Amino acid sequence: MGLMTGSGPLGRQPAGRFNFEPPAPGWAVYLDPTPKRIRVVVGGETIADSSRAMIMQESGLQPAYYFPPEDVRTEFLERSDRQTHCPKKGDASYHTIRVGDHVVEAGAWYYPEPLEGALPIKDLISFYFHRMDRWLEEDEEIFGHPRDPYHRIDTLSTHRHIRVSLDGELLAETDNAVALFESNLPPRWYLRREDVRVALEDSESTTYCPYKGYASYFSPKLASGELGKDLVWYYPDPLLDATRVANLLCFFNERVDIELDGVMQERPESPWKHGAKGDAQNAPPAQTRG
């Protein structure tokens, strides 16, 4: 989530305060050079390859890579009639990408005459992340969206007493969990399977987090006879930053009642208050739940 999203300092609902007058919430744009080699592949061809790419941070949006035109194979780009207007950056023009029979209509854009405050992006080219075939940072493929360099994950052992319930029914209880703290997201409490007090039914749902990897889901069988649809998730093979929570189980804080050392926690407001979003096997969603 980093600087620009969720409750980040330049997001739409910042949680903290500056000692100076910041941009209006939701209106910050920040262009940052990245030292990574970034490549974009469409139709088996590498259409962009740059060690000089920029990463665009914009309030309320996930990061996007912008490329110098010299590092884009413009022979695969055709001018499109599509145009859009951004109140923070100006009028965008578009290119259609054509690699043999593979066509991505208006899949790339640039700002030929950006607004005064956005001048550094002039003529830089960006691509719709999910409409490209592959993205690589150095030699590793990335999914979901570009990773925010200001995003952080901390996983910490905790012996706080954690009690998870729903409508008065005890679902899990432990004094031996792993707490996961992630930039601008609710804290998450990862529990061992033996600390869950209800039966769990496998779910076919999967989602993807660019920072933690593919998540699988369980639906607890409640005393009422109903299933708590996708109420629990876990990472069977997490990415490096989340290895400590591999195969541990986490309940959506937004949909259950959690007590920490006997104190009931408020259910956080977040995009996941109604459960998992998207199916990573189809198109990895740019979502992170913690």
Side-chain angles (χ1 to χ4, degrees), residues 17-287:
R17 296 182 180 181
F18 289 102
N19 65 346
F20 59 89
E21 191 63 33
W27 274 84
V29 176
Y30 183 62
L31 194 64
D32 206 9
T34 176
K36 300 174 183 175
R37 180 189 181 191
I38 309 299
R39 283 174 285 173
V40 183
V41 179
V42 174
E45 293 281 355
T46 300
I47 65 169
D49 185 346
S50 182
S51 299
R52 305 178 299 153
M54 308 290 283
I55 188 164
M56 171 71 76
Q57 305 267 19
E58 187 170 352
S59 294
L61 301 177
Q62 298 293 353
Y65 282 122
Y66 279 73
F67 296 83
E70 299 82 9
D71 296 341
V72 176
R73 295 179 64 184
T74 54
E75 69 267 28
F76 295 122
L77 304 184
E78 302 174 355
R79 184 176 296 276
S80 167
D81 292 334
R82 177 174 168 77
Q83 289 190 325
T84 58
H85 177 76
C86 170
K88 292 178 268 187
K89 301 189 294 294
D91 295 319
S93 297
Y94 286 75
H95 290 298
T96 289
I97 303 165
R98 186 181 301 275
V99 181
D101 294 332
H102 192 118
V103 178
V104 183
E105 294 287 348
W109 71 88
Y110 67 103
Y111 290 88
E113 298 294 338
L115 297 177
E116 183 176 354
L119 286 178
I121 67 170
K122 180 177 171 62
D123 293 329
L124 298 182
I125 299 172
S126 191
F127 302 90
Y128 282 108
F129 193 92
H130 291 304
R131 297 175 66 189
M132 304 301 105
D133 292 342
R134 298 180 71 206
W135 288 78
L136 293 98
E137 294 180 344
E138 296 297 334
D139 292 333
E140 295 192 10
E141 189 168 3
I142 62 170
F143 303 92
H145 58 75
R147 286 178 283 218
D148 186 337
Y150 303 103
H151 185 99
R152 181 181 175 90
I153 293 173
D154 288 303
T155 52
L156 304 171
S157 297
T158 181
H159 293 297
R160 287 205 261 181
H161 186 74
I162 300 170
R163 192 175 190 274
V164 183
S165 61
L166 182 62
D167 297 329
E169 179 184 355
L170 179 63
L171 305 181
E173 191 167 20
T174 187
D175 294 307
N176 187 23
V178 174
L180 188 148
F181 300 98
E182 188 165 1
S183 302
N184 312 322
L185 289 171
R188 302 299 191 185
W189 311 98
Y190 281 80
L191 316 179
R192 289 160 178 78
R193 182 71 175 261
E194 56 266 29
D195 294 326
V196 176
R197 306 297 178 83
V198 291
L200 300 174
E201 185 171 296
D202 285 320
S203 169
E204 294 182 356
S205 298
T206 57
T207 53
Y208 186 82
C209 167
Y211 308 100
K212 298 185 296 299
Y214 283 98
S216 297
Y217 287 79
F218 286 123
S219 299
K221 295 181 179 180
L222 306 176
S224 63
E226 296 181 357
L227 284 178
K229 176 65 175 172
D230 293 341
L231 203 59
V232 179
W233 76 82
Y234 66 100
Y235 292 96
D237 186 22
L239 299 177
L240 182 63
D241 286 349
T243 52
R244 289 188 68 186
V245 299
N247 291 309
L248 299 183
L249 308 184
C250 189
F251 288 80
F252 274 104
N253 308 42
E254 297 87 342
R255 299 171 58 200
V256 298
D257 296 315
I258 293 183
E259 296 174 58
L260 297 180
D261 291 334
V263 178
M264 184 67 72
Q265 306 299 295
E266 291 187 10
R267 294 189 182 187
E269 287 292 324
S270 86
W272 300 276
K273 66 185 296 183
H274 300 297
K277 299 178 68 177
D279 180 350
Q281 303 298 344
N282 243 339
Q287 304 295 341

